[in-house]
Amino acid sequence: MSSLGSKWKPVIVMVINDRKLRFGQIAARIHVISRKVLTDQLREMVEDGLLIREEFKELPPRVEYTLTEKGLALLPILNLLEDWERNYETKEVLAEA
Amino acid sequence: MSSLGSKWKPVIVMVINDRKLRFGQIAARIHVISRKVLTDQLREMVEDGLLIREEFKELPPRVEYTLTEKGLALLPILNLLEDWERNYETKEVLAEA
């Protein structure tokens, strides 16, 4: 599962979802990530075929990201992972109470 | 998805599967991982409730690992992830040909 080998990539896939988002919009939705780390993650995800990067030669320059078919196919699996984690988090909290 | 935040943990879950494996058996099945890294990953996975660690006071001491209910619930999701990756790897190879 090499193309998901970071804690941020699944989060970025779920944040973008079926939308077209600019760098700043992604950064604002994952406010704990640094701009440097986000930039690196986005570049790797473009290289791995998860994201499409569109650059518009405007002033100021505009860059938009969307998920590829491969990235979109990942969404339902990540939703299952989120359900799994939420389910067992709840059980752990109840067990500690 | 914090309890899976490493590339090794999904691999370890899939290797153990429904079996009871000793440290050396896990290490032999993931031969590219160092013993130090495997030890750390296994300890974190026990802390996160993914693995049960049983220690037998024998000579030499024997330690066995099994998946918890939480770990077992992850297996079908990891299989989907593996299918997803295999599916798109094939497409990329075909596209390059």
Side-chain angles (χ1 to χ4, degrees):
Chain A
M1 275 148 271
S2 54
S3 55
L4 277 178
S6 97
K7 66 171 175 177
W8 290 118
K9 288 173 188 172
V11 176
I12 294 168
V13 170
M14 294 185 86
V15 160
I16 298 182
N17 209 295
D18 58 355
R19 295 176 293 194
K20 179 174 284 200
L21 291 186
R22 298 167 68 157
F23 181 90
Q25 294 174 308
I26 302 170
R29 282 167 173 79
I30 320 175
H31 45 86
V32 287
I33 197 172
S34 73
R35 295 181 75 86
K36 161 88 176 74
V37 171
L38 181 56
T39 301
D40 291 347
Q41 299 289 297
L42 291 172
R43 195 192 56 243
E44 287 177 22
M45 291 170 75
V46 170
E47 285 165 8
D48 288 339
L50 290 168
L51 288 184
I52 296 162
R53 179 184 191 277
E54 288 178 283
E55 190 170 346
F56 300 90
K57 306 273 178 215
E58 301 174 354
L59 276 176
R62 179 161 56 101
V63 180
E64 292 180 341
Y65 294 90
T66 45
L67 293 181
T68 60
E69 187 201 323
K70 179 181 177 182
L72 286 168
L74 196 54
L75 275 176
I77 307 174
L78 295 182
N79 285 328
L80 287 176
L81 265 181
E82 222 184 31
D83 291 346
W84 167 81
E85 190 141 75
R86 198 176 295 126
N87 182 27
Y88 285 97
E89 264 170 23
T90 315
K91 285 191 187 163
E92 282 158 20
V93 170
L94 289 174
E96 282 164 18
Chain B
M1 276 148 271
S2 53
S3 54
L4 277 178
S6 96
K7 67 172 174 175
W8 291 117
K9 287 173 189 174
V11 177
I12 294 168
V13 169
M14 294 184 87
V15 159
I16 298 183
N17 209 296
D18 58 355
R19 294 176 293 193
K20 178 175 285 201
L21 291 186
R22 297 167 68 158
F23 181 90
Q25 294 174 309
I26 301 170
R29 282 168 173 78
I30 319 175
H31 46 87
V32 286
I33 196 173
S34 73
R35 295 181 76 85
K36 160 86 177 76
V37 170
L38 181 56
T39 301
D40 291 347
Q41 298 289 298
L42 291 172
R43 195 192 55 244
E44 288 177 21
M45 290 169 76
V46 170
E47 285 166 7
D48 288 340
L50 289 168
L51 287 185
I52 296 163
R53 179 184 192 278
E54 288 178 283
E55 191 170 345
F56 299 89
K57 305 275 177 212
E58 300 172 355
L59 276 176
R62 179 160 56 101
V63 180
E64 292 180 341
Y65 294 89
T66 45
L67 294 181
T68 60
E69 187 201 323
K70 179 181 177 181
L72 286 168
L74 196 55
L75 275 176
I77 307 174
L78 295 182
N79 285 328
L80 287 175
L81 265 181
E82 220 183 33
D83 291 346
W84 167 82
E85 189 141 75
R86 198 175 297 125
N87 182 26
Y88 286 97
E89 263 168 23
T90 315
K91 285 191 186 163
E92 282 158 20
V93 171
L94 289 174
E96 281 164 19

